[in-house]
């Protein structure tokens, strides 16, 4: 399994879908682990009832069907799929509405979906929140999974694991084909009083995390890879300035 | 049980998968991928077959550079220097290296025989270009290697016929401890066309970078300089010495590569501002963080308390 994750770290991100399905066919016993640990580009389906789009991911999947957060129905229809409890479903609906506004504010477009479910082993609920913005030349996809564990009457522990997948491509005459893509994963844990509601706390964490990730993506995606290129072939200004020094020596 | 047997890939499919993973390895990482692939396949024989097919392709495409066993020089493994199965010519030392692809080493070397080398006439041009390009590469690339081969017309003995040389330049920077690897590859075809009395230069540049500390970020950029009108050097070939042509060609290569680097820099400075900002703003239009508490309604709070209460009862 470790070897499989090693492979996923090295394969070009634009091939990650192909790589994952190859690994799934070679390691069928590990499919649950692979699917939950490997980030895949998010796909979108249209809810037949509301006409709104929702995101497809591991967290709303049962067999080959996906549950829409708008209508709570499986697409394609499934006889005995998993559904969240009434209470959680209410929270889920509210969360989807709130996050749609959030999505609009930050992404000015894009799609967001929130899925909540109960983990049977522990006393807690989890939220998965996919966010997808798409532009002609690039795409941003974020998945946030928060595990909520109530500690006592007034506080709960929130464990957030976030992954952002970014893909930027340009293709023009002067600079040829340029593709920069990849994914980054981070974690954050916080204990917060629940007086303002779970949604509030989770929302703030997600917002903070996204801002941090955006910043570090800027550093990593652009910074590190650009640095590498300049190390391979230093721009000519550098070459020229180093020569006089040598002459002086 | 029967489900597993149905979805189990065939041996052939497994080999193809292994080959695909190996071939897609970023620069300098194929051995790591090889190790992981062996663990995932759990079948030594299948792996060996896949590796035998994948490694030569990978090595040639990445133009790896191997030392001769007696340290007399190096040979670049490319499709242009390949003269036989696992045999690669180094024109500088006129030796042929016998290469073990899977382990990426040169096993033996032997002197090249006359049929394998270009004629003295061609060799003059090749040699002159080699000198110029080597000088250029050493000035511009901290860790670059290069090589010049004749790919067409190596038996031409005197002026009046066309011939073609290829310049390959490769620079890699491997820093696995910093989770960062990168490579630059350029291939320049230089055609000496006698009838048209000109030299045509065409190039392909490929740059890659891989950063994998907290994830997997890769740059893959490729550029083809195809517009021959830009790079043709119209000259009286009869009066053009090999040294002059070498100098002109190298100047063209230098100019093009510098231009490409500049355009990469420009892309890098444009992208964060243009595309990135459009994908996700730093802050909403309101210039403040999202007002989470305002959007929660009273009913939400009650529901939370209820759901907490419910869970506690379990």
């Amino acid at each position: 399994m470790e070897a499989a994750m090693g492979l996923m770290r090295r394969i070009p991100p634009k091939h990650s879908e192909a790589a994952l399905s190859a690994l799934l066919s070679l390691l069928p016993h590990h499919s649950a682990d692979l699917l939950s640990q490997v980030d895949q580009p998010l796909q979108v389906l249209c809810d037949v009832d509301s006409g709104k789009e929702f995101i497809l991911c591991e967290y709303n999947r049962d067999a080959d069907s996906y549950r829409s957060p708008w209508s709570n129905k499986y697409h394609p229809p499934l006889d005995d799929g998993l559904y969240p409890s009434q209470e959680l479903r209410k929270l889920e609906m509210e969360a989807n509405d709130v996050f749609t506004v959030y999505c609009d504010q930050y992404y000015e477009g894009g799609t967001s979906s929130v899925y909540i479910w109960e983990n049977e082993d522990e006393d807690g609920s989890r939220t998965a929140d996919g966010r997808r913005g798409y532009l002609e030349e690039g795409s941003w996809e974020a998945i946030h999974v928060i595990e909520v564990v109530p500690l006592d009457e007034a506080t709960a522990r929130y464990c957030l694991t976030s992954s952002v997948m970014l893909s930027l491509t340009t293709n023009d005459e002067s600079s040829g084909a340029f593709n920069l893509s990849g994914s980054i994963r981070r974690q954050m844990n916080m204990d917060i009083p629940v007086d303002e509601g779970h949604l509030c706390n989770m929302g703030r964490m997600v917002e903070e995390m996204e801002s941090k990730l955006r910043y570090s993506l800027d550093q990593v995606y652009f910074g590190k890879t650009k640095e590498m290129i300049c190390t391979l072939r230093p721009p000519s200004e550098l070459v020229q300035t180093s020569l006089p020094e040598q002459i002086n020596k | 049980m029967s489900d597993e047997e149905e979805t189990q890939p065939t041996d052939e499919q497994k080999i193809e998968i292994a080959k695909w993973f190996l071939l897609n390895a970023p620069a300098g990482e194929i051995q790591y991928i090889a190790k992981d692939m062996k663990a995932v396949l759990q079948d030594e024989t299948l792996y060996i077959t896949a590796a035998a097919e994948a490694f030569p392709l990978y090595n040639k495409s990445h133009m790896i550079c191997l030392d001769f066993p007696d340290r007399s020089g190096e040979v670049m493994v490319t499709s242009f220097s390949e003269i036989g199965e696992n045999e690669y010519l180094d024109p500088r030392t006129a030796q042929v290296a016998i290469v073990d692809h899977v382990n990426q080493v040169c096993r033996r070397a032997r002197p090249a025989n006359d049929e394998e080398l270009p004629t003295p006439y061609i060799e003059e041009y090749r040699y002159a270009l080699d000198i110029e390009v080597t000088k250029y590469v050493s000035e511009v690339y901290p860790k670059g290697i290069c090589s010049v081969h004749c790919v067409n017309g190596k038996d031409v003995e005197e002026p009046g016929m066309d011939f073609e040389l290829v310049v390959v330049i490769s620079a890699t920077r491997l820093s696995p401890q910093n989770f960062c690897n990168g490579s630059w590859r350029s291939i320049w075809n230089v055609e000496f066309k006698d009838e048209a009395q000109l030299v045509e230069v065409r190039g392909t540049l490929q740059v890659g970078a891989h950063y994998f500390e907290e994830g997997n970020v890769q740059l893959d950029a490729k550029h083809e300089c195809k517009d021959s009108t830009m790079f043709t050097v119209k000259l009286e070939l009869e009066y053009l010495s090999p040294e002059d042509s070498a100098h002109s060609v190298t100047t063209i290569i230098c100019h093009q590569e510098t231009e490409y680097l500049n355009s990469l820099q420009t892309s890098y400075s444009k992208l964060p501002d243009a595309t990135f900002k459009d994908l996700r703003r730093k802050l909403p239009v309101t210039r403040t963080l999202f007002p989470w508490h305002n959007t929660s309604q009273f009913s939400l709070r009650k529901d939370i308390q209820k759901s907490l209460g419910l869970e506690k009862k379990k």
Side-chain angles (χ1 to χ4, degrees):
Chain A
M1 182 63 205
E2 215 180 284
M5 295 310 291
L7 286 173
M8 288 310 296
R9 263 170 114 198
R10 298 184 189 273
I11 286 296
K14 57 187 178 183
H15 295 307
S16 62
E17 268 183 272
L20 180 63
S21 52
L23 286 176
L24 285 171
S25 70
L26 289 176
L27 302 171
H29 307 288
H30 292 281
S31 56
D33 285 328
L34 281 171
L35 287 169
S36 67
Q37 284 195 42
V38 176
D39 302 317
Q40 288 293 290
L42 300 175
Q43 284 175 329
V44 156
L45 207 58
C46 199
D47 182 320
V48 291
D49 288 342
S50 62
K52 291 197 228 180
E53 287 188 329
F54 64 100
I55 296 179
L56 309 181
C57 63
E58 266 316 282
Y59 309 104
N60 64 330
R61 184 181 74 91
D62 193 355
D64 286 327
S65 292
Y66 292 88
R67 183 173 66 84
S68 156
W70 309 114
S71 62
N72 206 24
K73 289 198 191 145
Y74 273 92
H75 295 60
L78 200 63
D79 281 334
D80 50 357
L82 293 166
Y83 291 93
S85 67
Q86 278 258 343
E87 309 296 320
L88 288 184
R89 172 69 193 141
K90 239 180 161 177
L91 182 60
E92 189 182 82
M93 291 199 293
E94 202 119 20
N96 270 291
D97 288 334
V98 172
F99 270 97
T100 309
V101 183
Y102 170 85
C103 185
D104 210 38
Q105 290 275 296
Y106 270 101
Y107 295 86
E108 294 177 341
T111 314
S112 94
S113 303
V114 183
Y115 303 106
I116 305 187
W117 73 98
E118 245 166 17
N119 195 337
E120 283 170 11
D121 298 332
E122 305 156 13
D123 230 12
S125 64
R126 274 196 225 170
T127 311
D129 164 19
R131 197 84 45 60
R132 186 171 171 268
Y134 185 73
L135 248 171
E136 221 175 82
E137 291 172 337
S139 73
W140 161 295
E141 286 158 6
I143 299 184
H144 306 276
V145 181
I146 307 182
E147 191 183 330
V148 182
V149 181
L151 294 175
D152 52 49
E153 278 292 334
T155 42
R157 168 161 300 154
Y158 299 84
C159 304
L160 168 65
T161 307
S162 299
S163 334
V164 174
M165 290 161 282
L166 191 62
S167 170
L168 298 163
T169 315
T170 54
N171 202 336
D172 58 46
E173 281 303 306
S174 61
S175 55
F178 179 98
N179 173 270
L180 186 56
S181 49
S183 64
I184 293 198
R185 210 171 233 230
R186 283 265 176 87
Q187 280 189 319
M188 190 202 281
N189 292 335
M190 281 172 93
D191 293 343
I192 313 176
V194 199
D195 46 331
E196 286 190 48
H198 279 311
L199 193 50
C200 211
N201 294 339
M202 294 194 295
R204 285 210 187 101
M205 281 182 83
V206 167
E207 185 177 30
E208 198 183 318
M209 176 62 97
E210 283 201 335
S211 297
K212 276 196 193 153
L213 283 175
R214 189 193 183 283
Y215 176 75
S216 72
L217 277 173
D218 202 356
Q219 302 288 302
V220 172
Y221 274 76
F222 298 104
K224 287 276 176 187
T225 47
K226 181 178 175 184
E227 196 186 308
M228 172 55 75
I229 296 182
C230 292
T231 320
L232 284 172
R233 192 187 193 286
S236 29
E237 306 86 55
L238 290 178
V239 173
Q240 279 160 15
T241 51
S242 66
L243 280 177
E245 286 170 10
Q246 286 172 354
I247 293 173
N248 286 338
K249 282 182 201 167
Chain B
M1 283 297 277
S2 58
D3 268 334
E4 270 179 35
E5 280 172 27
E6 275 172 33
T7 53
Q8 265 289 316
T10 63
D11 279 355
E12 261 173 31
Q13 285 171 326
K14 287 189 187 172
I15 292 177
E16 284 308 304
I17 291 176
K19 265 171 62 180
W20 183 84
F21 272 105
L22 289 168
L23 285 173
N24 275 299
E29 298 187 25
I30 194 172
Q31 297 292 355
Y32 296 96
I33 293 220
K35 193 166 133 231
D36 286 336
M37 204 62 231
K38 269 191 229 176
V40 168
L41 268 183
Q42 294 166 340
D43 186 331
E44 191 81 22
T45 350
L46 287 181
Y47 170 75
I48 291 177
T49 318
E53 289 175 39
F55 267 89
L57 292 170
Y58 176 88
N59 289 339
K60 281 190 280 191
S61 138
H62 282 262
M63 308 193 295
I64 63 167
C65 184
L66 303 174
D67 287 330
F68 281 112
D70 59 0
R71 318 285 287 166
S72 59
E74 348 171 272
V75 63
M76 280 182 81
V77 173
T78 68
S79 52
F80 312 109
S81 58
E82 191 172 40
I83 55 168
E85 198 173 323
N86 300 328
E87 293 194 318
Y88 296 89
L89 170 69
D90 172 36
R92 257 176 231 150
T93 56
Q95 290 185 90
V96 174
I98 288 93
V99 163
D100 173 353
H101 279 291
V102 176
N103 288 308
Q104 296 182 308
V105 287
C106 167
R107 290 278 170 224
R108 302 187 278 121
R110 61 165 175 81
N113 47 42
D114 287 336
E115 295 89 59
E116 292 167 335
L117 294 170
T119 58
Y121 173 70
I122 297 287
E123 179 60 17
E124 266 192 79
Y125 283 89
R126 194 211 68 77
Y127 180 75
L129 191 52
D130 199 7
I131 299 280
E132 284 287 322
V133 172
T134 309
K135 195 170 102 187
Y136 161 67
V137 167
S138 65
E139 277 169 12
V140 164
Y141 294 91
K143 281 195 172 192
I145 39 169
C146 64
S147 160
V148 180
H149 300 276
C150 177
V151 291
N152 230 335
K154 73 171 180 45
D155 298 321
V156 169
E157 301 210 329
E158 50 187 31
M161 303 262 302
D162 295 349
F163 60 95
E164 187 176 342
L165 300 177
V166 160
V167 178
V168 290
I169 300 176
S170 160
T172 49
R173 184 108 189 155
L174 304 178
S175 218
Q177 66 276 23
N178 290 331
F179 303 101
C180 202
N181 291 320
S183 74
W184 169 298
R185 288 173 268 167
S186 33
I187 299 177
W188 294 94
N189 288 73
V190 185
E191 273 185 79
F192 289 77
K193 295 185 170 170
D194 186 77
E195 203 176 309
Q197 283 287 298
L198 51 77
V199 179
E200 195 175 293
V201 179
R202 287 182 337 267
T204 312
L205 302 139
Q206 199 162 359
V207 182
H210 180 210
Y211 178 69
F212 48 102
E213 184 160 6
E214 286 173 316
N216 177 3
V217 177
Q218 292 195 26
L219 163 71
D220 178 18
K222 194 163 168 175
H223 182 44
E224 283 187 28
C225 305
K226 271 196 293 213
D227 189 359
S228 61
T229 55
M230 281 167 65
F231 316 140
T232 45
V233 181
K234 243 186 185 300
L235 297 154
E236 300 285 327
L237 275 182
E238 275 184 22
Y239 307 109
L240 189 65
S241 73
E243 288 77 25
D244 288 335
S245 68
H247 188 71
S248 304
V249 169
T250 312
T251 311
I252 292 177
I253 291 180
C254 174
H255 179 72
Q256 287 309 309
E257 294 193 340
T258 313
E259 287 244 332
Y260 182 58
L261 185 69
N262 287 339
S263 83
L264 281 179
Q265 309 267 50
T266 316
S267 294
Y268 264 108
S269 58
K270 268 188 342 197
L271 275 181
D273 295 332
T275 316
F276 210 3
K277 208 167 69 179
D278 286 340
L279 281 177
R280 185 187 191 277
R281 308 174 58 92
K282 281 201 185 136
L283 280 177
V285 191
T286 58
R287 303 257 185 119
T288 56
L289 292 175
F290 192 72
W292 295 100
H293 50 278
N294 272 341
T295 58
S296 335
Q297 295 136 19
F298 284 102
S299 59
L300 187 62
R301 246 177 257 162
K302 280 195 207 143
D303 287 335
I304 297 298
Q305 286 168 3
K306 250 204 222 164
S307 65
L308 274 181
L310 266 179
E311 278 154 352
K312 281 236 173 258
K313 278 182 201 163
K314 284 190 208 163

